[in-house]
Amino acid sequence: MAHNSRERPRFGTGWLPYALVAPQLLITVVFFLWPAGEALWQSTSTQDAFGLSSEFVGLANFTALWGDPLYLASFRTTMIFSTLVTVCGLVISLLLAAMADRVTRGKRTYQTLLIWPYAVAPAIAAVLWAFLFNPSIGLITYGLAKFGIEWNHALNGGQAMFLVVLASIWKQISYNFLFFYAGLQAIPRSLVEAAAIDGAGPIRRFFGLVLPLISPTTFFLLVVNLVYSFFDTFPVIDAATGGGPGQSTMTLIYKIYSEGFKGLDLGSSAAQSVVLMVIVIVLTVVQFRFIERKVQYA
Amino acid sequence: MKQPSLRTFALAGAGAALALGMSTSALAATEIQFWHSMESALGDRVNQIAADFNASQSDYKIVPIYKGNYEQGLAAGIAAFRAGNAPAILQVYEVGTATMIQARKAVKPVWQVMKDAGEPFDEKAFVPTIAGYYADSKTNHLVSMPFNSSTPVLYYNKDAFKKAGLDPNTPPKTWADVKHDAEKLKASGMSCGFTMGWQSWTQLENYSAWHGLPFATKNNGFDGPDAKLSFNGPQQVKHIQFLADMAKAGTFTYVGRKDEVTSKFYSGDCGIAMTTSGALANIAKYAKFSYGVGMMPYDADVKGAPQNAIIGGASLWVLAGKSATEYKGVAKFLNYLASPAVAAKWHQDTGYLPVTKAAYELTEKQGFYTKNPGADTAIKQMLNKDPLPFTRGLRLGNMPQIRTVIDEELEGVWSGKQTPKAALDKAVQRGDDLLARFAKQGS
């Protein structure tokens, strides 16, 4: 790549740049590398809940996982869940952002309303939706019954999945909306107008011009949302379904949480979190290597 | 004139502050942390008990702190212990008992606390089926303090019974009655005839004890950690099949793993609900119809049934590493809790069982059961018959996870995805893996 020959700013001393990044490095070490190392170490041992006795077991925790068909099943559940959350979440938010971008009156109100859900804690979001869909007293349940649809997510796995996906998407829409909206606003009006003059209709303009221009935003959101659906959704599942019925909403992260915090089985929980860590690292690398090529940075 | 008066005020204020500071330091009571999981109304009761105890003497101050539900409270207690910052008293749910007993170095057994503090403590005063759950299986001494114990009971809607042409004063006694009554309720236009919550606890743990069947080998785990689950016997399979048939016929509606049934019942949706006796307070508060409380149903063809119920709920654990003074205060507080007046009031206010026989007798003498029919159903189930070696309770490791396994497999039955036999066999197999894992962790 031909580089711009502009002089880059240079620091006179060798230590200053290190000092400047030191706080960030420290945070990374204390809050990311250390816990990750701790998880690696714990995944090779079994110990009682109080940590009074601990025994090195090598890879036994991992082999136990591979022998557990339900653990393998939760991979499938996680894939379905995270794909739904990411894809539907992005599409809906983009749609909302595109519509809000066209609105001229009452813009602020729309923005505020759309950003609101972000202020709600995930667990509360889940409880809220679980209430609306409560099999006995839920408002929506009542409405659905009028159409002859019987709602009972305590028994119906598909309905339970729908509920946790809905709550997770709703929670994340604001975040996606903000970025999409900012991205849309940054597109020069003149470009869109020029396309319009050339005879491109709204749909053609959107897919041919707007979408490629916001592709860096979309890519960023894709990564963030995937990580969100993998890691941050356990309060939603915990409050709405508890992984059930059966194990139909048991995602990898919820399994880690329930076995580590409820079951107090730290060895197995640590082994699972190591597996999840590897998966997300691989997924992120894949995204950057293959999808990012399609991204056009202006 | 203003200047001096202001100064006097300031001086007086400083003097008062000084005097106050001195007096509090002179009378400083030993603070004792008590972490619990009693929410809202129950939490208020706990705070009241602590306040009454604190007012009754000046050496110790019990500080009750709500730490989330049972699971969260136990996790918080363990995390605090690992960080060297544990509370003196920790409330732990009954299925966490094996975890606590296994942590020998982290726990100081209650009988030891009492002995060291020189507190008179009569272990025989406790209801045997409650004390048995928390007793050391070798020495028979109490390792934790029974506090809030419950058993499953049957609530039924008397108004709905009347409407369905059933006798409102006769709750269903056997499972055949439950089916018959639920059918009648459905026929009268009710959407849900029978429902139940805490399915592992009510339909397998208590069902087994009530019919004199073991839930696991080694006397339900009391005789050693290498127990194996055995709740997939023919009688239990038959019972789950019975419920599955009811679910298919629409006379049994499954609404969730925990206490979802309570609101299902008091909202008038379900005519009969089997759930914890601890739900009585909420039902009494919200139900707009007259209701009755019946004993757990049993299968009439099982010899010796009904046997005795086993408890749920929680007990209080004393954690290790505290000073002798603190333990003295803990001992005094625990004894205060077990005193007939305090235990009886707690029982009457909450619907939990009276933990001592004296508290039960006191409640009876006060005429509480005549004024509140059904409030004594739970304790009657406990005292129904002397417990068999395997109906004292459960002493199984990883029990919270085993319950989840049972929930998962039974949900497959209610939705028609698997047969009761397959579900129970799978639950036993998965549960045995968890038991083996637990035994390994402790060694």
Side-chain angles (χ1 to χ4, degrees), chain B residues 405-424:
Chain B
V405 163
I406 292 173
D407 281 337
E408 289 169 1
E409 297 299 341
L410 285 184
E411 277 162 355
V413 175
W414 311 144
S415 56
K417 285 201 194 95
Q418 59 182 345
T419 64
K421 175 92 178 97
L424 292 186

Short mmCIF file of all heavy atoms in Angstrom, two decimals, chain B residues 405-424:
data_model
loop_
_atom_site.label_atom_id
_atom_site.label_comp_id
_atom_site.label_asym_id
_atom_site.label_seq_id
_atom_site.Cartn_x
_atom_site.Cartn_y
_atom_site.Cartn_z
N VAL B 405 -32.17 -31.19 36.72
CA VAL B 405 -32.21 -32.33 35.79
C VAL B 405 -33.62 -32.93 35.79
O VAL B 405 -34.19 -33.20 34.73
CB VAL B 405 -31.17 -33.38 36.22
CG1 VAL B 405 -31.47 -34.73 35.58
CG2 VAL B 405 -29.76 -32.92 35.86
N ILE B 406 -34.19 -33.09 36.98
CA ILE B 406 -35.54 -33.67 37.07
C ILE B 406 -36.55 -32.75 36.39
O ILE B 406 -37.42 -33.21 35.64
CB ILE B 406 -35.90 -33.93 38.55
CG1 ILE B 406 -35.02 -35.07 39.09
CG2 ILE B 406 -37.37 -34.25 38.71
CD1 ILE B 406 -35.15 -35.32 40.57
N ASP B 407 -36.41 -31.43 36.62
CA ASP B 407 -37.30 -30.47 35.95
C ASP B 407 -37.24 -30.66 34.45
O ASP B 407 -38.28 -30.74 33.78
CB ASP B 407 -36.85 -29.03 36.26
CG ASP B 407 -37.30 -28.56 37.63
OD1 ASP B 407 -38.28 -29.11 38.15
OD2 ASP B 407 -36.67 -27.63 38.18
N GLU B 408 -36.03 -30.73 33.93
CA GLU B 408 -35.85 -30.81 32.48
C GLU B 408 -36.47 -32.07 31.91
O GLU B 408 -37.17 -32.04 30.89
CB GLU B 408 -34.36 -30.76 32.14
CG GLU B 408 -33.75 -29.38 32.36
CD GLU B 408 -32.23 -29.39 32.28
OE1 GLU B 408 -31.65 -30.47 32.04
OE2 GLU B 408 -31.64 -28.33 32.48
N GLU B 409 -36.22 -33.19 32.58
CA GLU B 409 -36.74 -34.46 32.05
C GLU B 409 -38.26 -34.53 32.18
O GLU B 409 -38.93 -35.02 31.29
CB GLU B 409 -36.07 -35.65 32.76
CG GLU B 409 -34.56 -35.74 32.55
CD GLU B 409 -34.13 -35.90 31.10
OE1 GLU B 409 -34.98 -36.28 30.26
OE2 GLU B 409 -32.97 -35.60 30.78
N LEU B 410 -38.80 -34.04 33.30
CA LEU B 410 -40.25 -34.10 33.46
C LEU B 410 -40.96 -33.18 32.47
O LEU B 410 -42.05 -33.51 31.98
CB LEU B 410 -40.65 -33.74 34.90
CG LEU B 410 -40.39 -34.81 35.97
CD1 LEU B 410 -40.91 -34.36 37.32
CD2 LEU B 410 -41.01 -36.14 35.58
N GLU B 411 -40.35 -32.05 32.16
CA GLU B 411 -40.97 -31.15 31.17
C GLU B 411 -41.13 -31.87 29.84
O GLU B 411 -42.10 -31.64 29.11
CB GLU B 411 -40.15 -29.87 31.02
CG GLU B 411 -40.49 -28.84 32.10
CD GLU B 411 -39.45 -27.74 32.28
OE1 GLU B 411 -38.39 -27.82 31.63
OE2 GLU B 411 -39.71 -26.82 33.07
N GLY B 412 -40.18 -32.76 29.54
CA GLY B 412 -40.29 -33.57 28.33
C GLY B 412 -41.50 -34.50 28.38
O GLY B 412 -42.09 -34.83 27.36
N VAL B 413 -41.86 -34.93 29.60
CA VAL B 413 -43.04 -35.79 29.76
C VAL B 413 -44.32 -34.99 29.58
O VAL B 413 -45.21 -35.38 28.83
CB VAL B 413 -43.04 -36.48 31.15
CG1 VAL B 413 -44.32 -37.28 31.35
CG2 VAL B 413 -41.82 -37.37 31.30
N TRP B 414 -44.39 -33.83 30.25
CA TRP B 414 -45.64 -33.04 30.20
C TRP B 414 -45.93 -32.57 28.77
O TRP B 414 -47.07 -32.41 28.39
CB TRP B 414 -45.59 -31.83 31.13
CG TRP B 414 -45.14 -32.09 32.53
CD1 TRP B 414 -44.37 -31.24 33.30
CD2 TRP B 414 -45.41 -33.22 33.37
NE1 TRP B 414 -44.14 -31.80 34.53
CE2 TRP B 414 -44.75 -33.00 34.61
CE3 TRP B 414 -46.11 -34.40 33.19
CZ2 TRP B 414 -44.79 -33.91 35.66
CZ3 TRP B 414 -46.15 -35.33 34.24
CH2 TRP B 414 -45.51 -35.07 35.44
N SER B 415 -44.86 -32.33 27.99
CA SER B 415 -45.12 -31.88 26.62
C SER B 415 -45.23 -33.07 25.66
O SER B 415 -45.31 -32.88 24.45
CB SER B 415 -44.03 -30.91 26.17
OG SER B 415 -42.75 -31.51 26.29
N GLY B 416 -45.20 -34.28 26.21
CA GLY B 416 -45.43 -35.46 25.38
C GLY B 416 -44.24 -35.90 24.55
O GLY B 416 -44.39 -36.68 23.62
N LYS B 417 -43.03 -35.39 24.88
CA LYS B 417 -41.86 -35.74 24.07
C LYS B 417 -41.21 -37.05 24.50
O LYS B 417 -40.47 -37.65 23.75
CB LYS B 417 -40.83 -34.61 24.15
CG LYS B 417 -41.22 -33.39 23.34
CD LYS B 417 -39.99 -32.54 23.04
CE LYS B 417 -40.37 -31.16 22.53
NZ LYS B 417 -40.40 -30.16 23.61
N GLN B 418 -41.42 -37.45 25.74
CA GLN B 418 -40.83 -38.73 26.16
C GLN B 418 -41.71 -39.43 27.18
O GLN B 418 -42.56 -38.82 27.82
CB GLN B 418 -39.41 -38.53 26.70
CG GLN B 418 -39.30 -37.60 27.89
CD GLN B 418 -37.85 -37.42 28.33
OE1 GLN B 418 -36.98 -38.18 27.94
NE2 GLN B 418 -37.60 -36.43 29.17
N THR B 419 -41.49 -40.74 27.34
CA THR B 419 -42.31 -41.51 28.26
C THR B 419 -41.80 -41.29 29.69
O THR B 419 -40.62 -40.98 29.89
CB THR B 419 -42.21 -43.01 27.95
OG1 THR B 419 -40.86 -43.42 28.18
CG2 THR B 419 -42.59 -43.31 26.52
N PRO B 420 -42.68 -41.47 30.69
CA PRO B 420 -42.26 -41.32 32.08
C PRO B 420 -41.07 -42.23 32.43
O PRO B 420 -40.15 -41.80 33.13
CB PRO B 420 -43.50 -41.71 32.86
CG PRO B 420 -44.62 -41.37 31.95
CD PRO B 420 -44.14 -41.65 30.57
N LYS B 421 -41.10 -43.45 31.94
CA LYS B 421 -40.02 -44.39 32.26
C LYS B 421 -38.69 -43.85 31.73
O LYS B 421 -37.69 -43.78 32.44
CB LYS B 421 -40.35 -45.76 31.65
CG LYS B 421 -39.26 -46.79 31.80
CD LYS B 421 -39.47 -47.62 33.06
CE LYS B 421 -38.42 -48.72 33.23
NZ LYS B 421 -37.32 -48.33 34.12
N ALA B 422 -38.69 -43.42 30.47
CA ALA B 422 -37.46 -42.91 29.86
C ALA B 422 -36.98 -41.66 30.61
O ALA B 422 -35.78 -41.50 30.86
CB ALA B 422 -37.69 -42.60 28.39
N ALA B 423 -37.92 -40.80 30.96
CA ALA B 423 -37.56 -39.55 31.63
C ALA B 423 -36.91 -39.82 32.98
O ALA B 423 -35.86 -39.26 33.32
CB ALA B 423 -38.79 -38.67 31.81
N LEU B 424 -37.53 -40.71 33.77
CA LEU B 424 -36.99 -40.98 35.11
C LEU B 424 -35.67 -41.73 35.02
O LEU B 424 -34.75 -41.47 35.80
CB LEU B 424 -38.01 -41.76 35.95
CG LEU B 424 -39.27 -40.97 36.32
CD1 LEU B 424 -40.15 -41.77 37.29
CD2 LEU B 424 -38.95 -39.63 36.95
#
